């Protein structure tokens, strides 16, 4: 028996949604327990917040369960320091049949000076799940505007590169 009962109505055919319908902005003030001895935030703390924000986007889009399938890329561009406000911006870039790519941008704001720095970027793939934990169809993404079209096109390109890399890895595994 599931620990949490489903709060969703019975599944119907997925209806398309725009990226703005599921996008999120989350914040977290960095405290000493988030940092390493040098006063920088641990990369794992940033990853946890990124995964949480992306998960919220995925669940909002499918209005159901969704799980992390992969983190395609994680760039640590600049450090985040104790006392700063971390701002995590996440939105859908592309939706396949059951999977979704979510782009996440992390910024750090110095609350004393107002300086804002782009510190991290990541692309995550989530898969929509039914109440039995099996992949289920995700609502299609309605792509509106030039920025959304660019992000969707780039996400499709990344998906193809991921597929090629997986095929190559499987091929190498068979040779060994």
């Amino acid at each position: 028996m599931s620990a949490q009962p489903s709060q969703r109505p019975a599944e119907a055919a997925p209806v398309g949604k725009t990226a703005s319908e599921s996008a999120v902005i989350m914040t977290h003030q960095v405290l000493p327990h988030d940092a390493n001895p040098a006063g920088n935030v641990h990369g794992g703390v940033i990853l946890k917040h990124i995964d949480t924000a992306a998960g919220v986007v995925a669940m909002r889009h499918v209005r159901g369960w969704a799980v992390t399938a992969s983190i395609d890329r994680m760039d640590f561009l600049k450090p985040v320091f104790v006392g700063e406000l971390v701002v995590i911006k996440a939105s859908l870039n592309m939706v396949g049949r059951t999977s979704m790519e979510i782009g996440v941008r992390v910024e750090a704001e110095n609350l004393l000076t107002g300086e804002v720095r782009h510190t991290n970027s990541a692309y995550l793939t989530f898969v929509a799940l039914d109440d039995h934990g099996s992949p289920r169809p995700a609502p299609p993404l309605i792509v509106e505007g030039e920025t959304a079209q660019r992000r969707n096109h780039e996400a499709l390109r990344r998906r193809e590169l991921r597929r090629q890399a997986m095929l190559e890895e499987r091929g190498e595994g068979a040779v060994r």
Side-chain angles (χ1 to χ4, degrees):
M1 178 169 242
S2 171
Q4 284 186 319
S6 175
Q7 300 298 313
R8 281 187 294 113
E11 288 184 32
V15 176
K17 298 179 183 180
T18 64
S20 64
E21 291 180 76
S22 60
V24 298
I25 298 175
M26 300 174 79
T27 60
H28 172 75
Q29 186 176 19
V30 178
L31 300 175
H33 69 270
D34 296 322
N36 62 27
N40 301 337
V41 176
H42 284 288
V45 170
I46 299 291
L47 278 168
K48 181 180 186 302
H49 290 296
I50 287 170
D51 190 45
T52 298
V56 169
V57 168
M59 290 180 72
R60 284 178 105 180
H61 185 72
V62 301
R63 289 295 175 201
W65 299 116
V67 294
T68 311
S70 70
I71 298 177
D72 186 47
R73 184 168 170 167
M74 178 64 206
D75 294 324
F76 291 91
L77 307 172
K78 296 182 180 169
V80 177
F81 302 104
V82 170
E84 292 186 316
L85 184 68
V86 175
V87 180
I88 304 111
K89 301 174 181 179
S91 65
L92 276 170
N93 290 333
M94 184 273 306
V95 175
R97 192 177 71 75
T98 63
S99 66
M100 301 157 274
E101 184 194 90
I102 298 153
V104 182
R105 177 185 172 96
V106 180
E107 297 173 344
E109 178 184 344
N110 181 316
L111 293 171
L112 301 178
T113 66
E115 174 202 9
V116 176
R117 298 178 322 283
H118 176 202
T119 61
N120 302 81
S121 291
Y123 298 108
L124 296 86
T125 301
F126 274 71
V127 173
L129 299 179
D130 64 19
D131 290 334
H132 304 287
S134 297
R136 73 172 179 102
L141 179 63
I142 298 169
V143 181
E144 293 184 330
E146 289 180 29
T147 300
Q149 287 177 356
R150 178 184 53 79
R151 288 178 178 168
N152 187 259
H153 176 73
E154 291 169 354
L156 290 168
R157 196 173 70 221
R158 280 188 295 273
R159 180 173 70 170
E160 184 55 36
L161 291 172
R162 279 191 301 272
R163 285 181 177 169
Q164 288 176 3
M166 286 175 61
L167 288 173
E168 289 173 12
E169 288 172 10
R170 288 179 186 153
E172 288 179 10
V175 174
R176 292 183 188 172

